[in-house]
Amino acid sequence: HVQLVESGGGSAQAGGSLKLTCQASGFSYSVYCMAWFRQAPGKSREGIAALHAEGDIRYSDSVKGRFTFSEDAAKRTLFLQMDSLKPEDTATYYCAAVGLCYDDPLPLGVDGYLYWGQGTQVTVS
């Protein structure tokens, strides 16, 4: 079965950087979308970056220019490089995936994804 495992969360000061990693296993689609979401306490889950197997990437306005989404497709590993962090970036971060993804634009809504990781906490002070 499909498993997504995030790592790399922690604490950072405003203006600093963190890099999250998501390791996928059991996910064998050649056409897919993968994404990063975050959820702050008392708020709904927000899609912040999505990636298609063919290389297209979409960012939310809240992280565009500060966060970089990349993948090592051969290793089924996703990365989220987070720079210029702000206190409002504090949240639990989740990776998500779905196969046979043909959406245009790439989905940033929770309904667009079938598989989810357990989340990793990021705190910016």
Side-chain angles (χ1 to χ4, degrees):
H1 68 282
V2 176
Q3 270 195 315
L4 303 174
V5 180
E6 303 94 337
S7 61
S11 298
Q13 292 191 335
S17 298
L18 283 173
K19 186 173 184 177
L20 304 184
T21 299
C22 174
Q23 180 66 58
S25 60
F27 189 77
S28 58
Y29 293 96
S30 59
V31 177
Y32 56 82
C33 288
M34 291 188 170
W36 287 97
F37 286 74
R38 66 185 182 186
Q39 188 166 18
K43 295 190 176 181
S44 57
R45 193 167 295 191
E46 173 195 17
I48 58 173
L51 174 150
H52 191 272
E54 294 184 353
D56 291 344
I57 299 176
R58 178 188 178 193
Y59 296 97
S60 68
D61 289 342
S62 60
V63 305
K64 192 178 300 180
R66 300 188 298 122
F67 290 10
T68 303
F69 189 179
S70 61
E71 71 163 342
D72 181 334
K75 296 182 179 179
R76 283 286 194 246
T77 305
L78 310 178
F79 305 100
L80 186 68
Q81 177 67 43
M82 305 186 295
D83 298 318
S84 302
L85 284 164
K86 304 176 182 180
E88 50 263 45
D89 294 320
T90 295
T92 301
Y93 283 71
Y94 301 87
C95 63
V98 65
L100 303 177
C101 177
Y102 300 99
D103 296 46
D104 183 16
L106 300 181
L108 286 179
V110 295
D111 291 344
Y113 295 88
L114 184 59
Y115 306 105
W116 293 85
Q118 83 290 347
T120 186
Q121 178 67 36
V122 170
T123 303
V124 184
S125 59

